[in-house]
Amino acid sequence: MSQGSGLILAVESSCDETAVAVVRDGRRIVTSVVASQVALHSATGGIVPEVAARAHLRWMIPVLEQARVESGITDWSDLEAVAVTEGPGLAGSLLVGITMAKTLCWLHDLPLVPVNHLEGHIYAAWLLDPEEDDRPAPEFPVVALVVSGGHTFLVEMADHLRYRLLGQTVDDAAGEAFDKVGRLLGLPYPGGPAIMHAAASATSHDRIFPRAWLPDTFDFSFSGLKTAARREVARELGIDVQRMGSGGQDLPESSVSELAYGFQDSVVDVLTTKTIRAAEESGARTIVVGGGVAANIVLRGRIETDAAARGIRVVVPRPGLCTDNAAMIGAAGFFRARAGTRAGFDLAAKPSLKLAVPERD
Ligand code: KG4
Ligand code: ZN
């Protein structure tokens, strides 16, 4: 294990946030700057890859400069390495961050450390805010649930950087389901937070959505929920489901809240039940939850309550660290750097990079 200053500068641009952070020893955030493109993409109700890549180009250098000033780094040799998301994500978006990281490494003669974005979402659980009191790091074995806009899976970690895939979605990611159902209900993009807020004002909780249990597996399926939501909306409007548009339906506010509640309840129920079962079966000491959907207050509460009842510790980062950021890449990047992971200047974007592949019996 090579030692260094422990200071990692991290760059993240895999999707629609341009982010640069400086993290110490894989835990303490020195600074974390995120420029969000949400406003830009809400006009189109989703991400247009070319628009996202151009926005990264526009914001990468100002974000880097802000992170440099805020972290007080005057001498680049104070850094141990530069970590960057190599994938998965949008090719054009990834390329901007990778090119920035390579340029910094070339200019300042620093090691380049590639990080898997999904690994970053898991390592967000290790992070401490600048002024936050110290607390113990997650203890292994860890079971991690990653629920983002593009991915939904459960992995077991016996130790740092070791992942065994327990189960994954067979169709839509949880965040994708939130976004699609949000659109169907006429809610603004992104659907996740909009559904969470709408659900909070539901006064009736009797719209029950189906649960795809996929018994005896830790796999998930969310595409049926979308169909169920469509059917409910069509019924509400008194029209044939085949003739209904794909989004922006004009429903009364009370129906939107009730449907949002029923949908969210189903997603939270399945995610929590499977995560707890996975943790129990693998004897996990800690459950870690990451990815944008982990910002959901109902999901956080349910996993915390159910795990506490079984004496399992849960670490869910604060919402701003569940959604995309570079601090999480800095945390994972530190452990990767210390494990000797390095990339050359031929590092390429890997849009479909996997974290772990299913094991065969
Ligand atoms: O991890 P993330 O920021 O980007 C990806 O790597 O995909 O996740 C974005 C996803 C979106 O689908 C968004 O709707 C969802 O996370 N999300 C939420 C909440 N906040 C963001 N889903 C449910 N409840 C939330 N509060
Ligand atoms: Zn993400």
Side-chain angles (χ1 to χ4, degrees):
M1 223 188 225
S2 69
Q3 301 295 313
S5 69
L7 267 188
I8 305 286
L9 182 130
V11 181
E12 153 68 39
S13 68
S14 64
C15 191
D16 60 344
E17 322 280 0
T18 315
V20 177
V22 177
V23 177
R24 186 182 295 281
D25 297 333
R27 293 211 71 196
R28 181 70 66 181
I29 298 175
V30 178
T31 186
S32 175
V33 182
V34 181
S36 172
Q37 301 179 10
V38 163
L40 188 63
H41 301 303
S42 64
T44 41
I47 298 163
V48 177
E50 181 65 14
V51 173
R54 282 174 191 275
H56 284 303
L57 272 179
R58 163 73 183 84
W59 290 106
M60 184 54 80
I61 289 178
V63 166
L64 171 73
E65 185 57 12
Q66 188 180 333
R68 192 189 63 77
V69 170
E70 281 182 9
S71 63
I73 290 175
T74 46
D75 187 346
W76 290 87
S77 66
D78 289 347
L79 294 173
E80 180 168 328
V82 175
V84 65
T85 305
E86 63 170 332
L90 302 167
S93 291
L94 287 163
L95 192 60
V96 178
I98 290 175
T99 307
M100 183 76 258
K102 280 182 192 171
T103 308
L104 289 173
C105 290
W106 181 75
L107 276 173
H108 304 296
D109 195 22
L110 290 164
L112 177 63
V113 177
V115 173
N116 183 311
H117 179 80
L118 304 169
E119 174 172 61
H121 275 306
I122 295 173
Y123 273 88
W126 269 255
L127 290 169
L128 296 167
D129 276 315
E131 307 298 332
E132 188 179 347
D133 287 343
D134 209 353
R135 68 179 139 81
E139 284 177 289
F140 297 104
V142 163
V143 158
L145 170 71
V146 175
V147 270
S148 72
H151 299 85
T152 295
F153 60 86
L154 272 167
V155 285
E156 184 189 344
M157 295 173 72
D159 203 346
H160 279 298
L161 311 173
R162 286 178 51 201
Y163 310 98
R164 190 169 77 85
L165 186 66
L166 300 174
Q168 60 190 329
T169 181
V170 297
D171 41 54
D172 291 349
E176 196 179 351
F178 269 98
D179 293 339
K180 287 178 178 167
V181 172
R183 198 174 315 146
L184 190 72
L185 296 177
L187 292 169
Y189 170 85
I195 286 184
M196 183 176 85
H197 290 122
S201 51
T203 48
S204 150
H205 297 162
D206 48 16
R207 306 257 197 154
I208 310 295
F209 276 66
R211 271 93 168 129
W213 288 116
L214 308 183
D216 306 323
T217 74
F218 290 116
D219 287 338
F220 303 97
S221 167
F222 297 110
S223 72
L225 267 182
K226 216 171 38 196
T227 317
R230 267 183 78 76
R231 221 179 294 120
E232 283 288 311
V233 171
R235 200 164 60 101
E236 178 95 19
L237 295 171
I239 56 170
D240 180 25
V241 70
Q242 309 292 343
R243 295 182 39 218
M244 201 177 72
S246 63
Q249 270 69 30
D250 206 7
L251 291 168
E253 220 175 288
S254 60
S255 305
V256 171
S257 318
E258 286 167 24
L259 292 171
Y261 181 92
F263 164 79
Q264 178 175 269
D265 189 47
S266 166
V267 176
V268 167
D269 196 14
V270 175
L271 290 175
T272 307
T273 306
K274 295 218 171 197
T275 304
I276 298 288
R277 189 159 61 79
E280 282 186 311
E281 281 186 22
S282 50
R285 298 180 73 171
T286 318
I287 292 173
V288 158
V289 192
V293 182
N296 188 285
I297 196 160
V298 180
L299 177 65
R300 303 163 71 92
R302 183 67 206 276
I303 294 187
E304 273 162 12
T305 309
D306 288 14
R310 291 163 178 83
I312 305 171
R313 182 178 173 212
V314 178
V315 184
V316 195
R318 66 172 165 83
L321 296 173
C322 290
T323 48
D324 290 349
N325 65 86
M328 67 186 199
I329 304 303
F334 170 79
F335 293 101
R336 284 239 161 260
R338 290 289 167 100
T341 305
R342 297 284 183 274
F345 290 134
D346 57 351
L347 178 68
K350 300 186 181 63
S352 346
L353 185 66
K354 299 270 182 285
L355 183 63
V357 290
E359 287 176 354
R360 300 205 185 278
D361 296 323

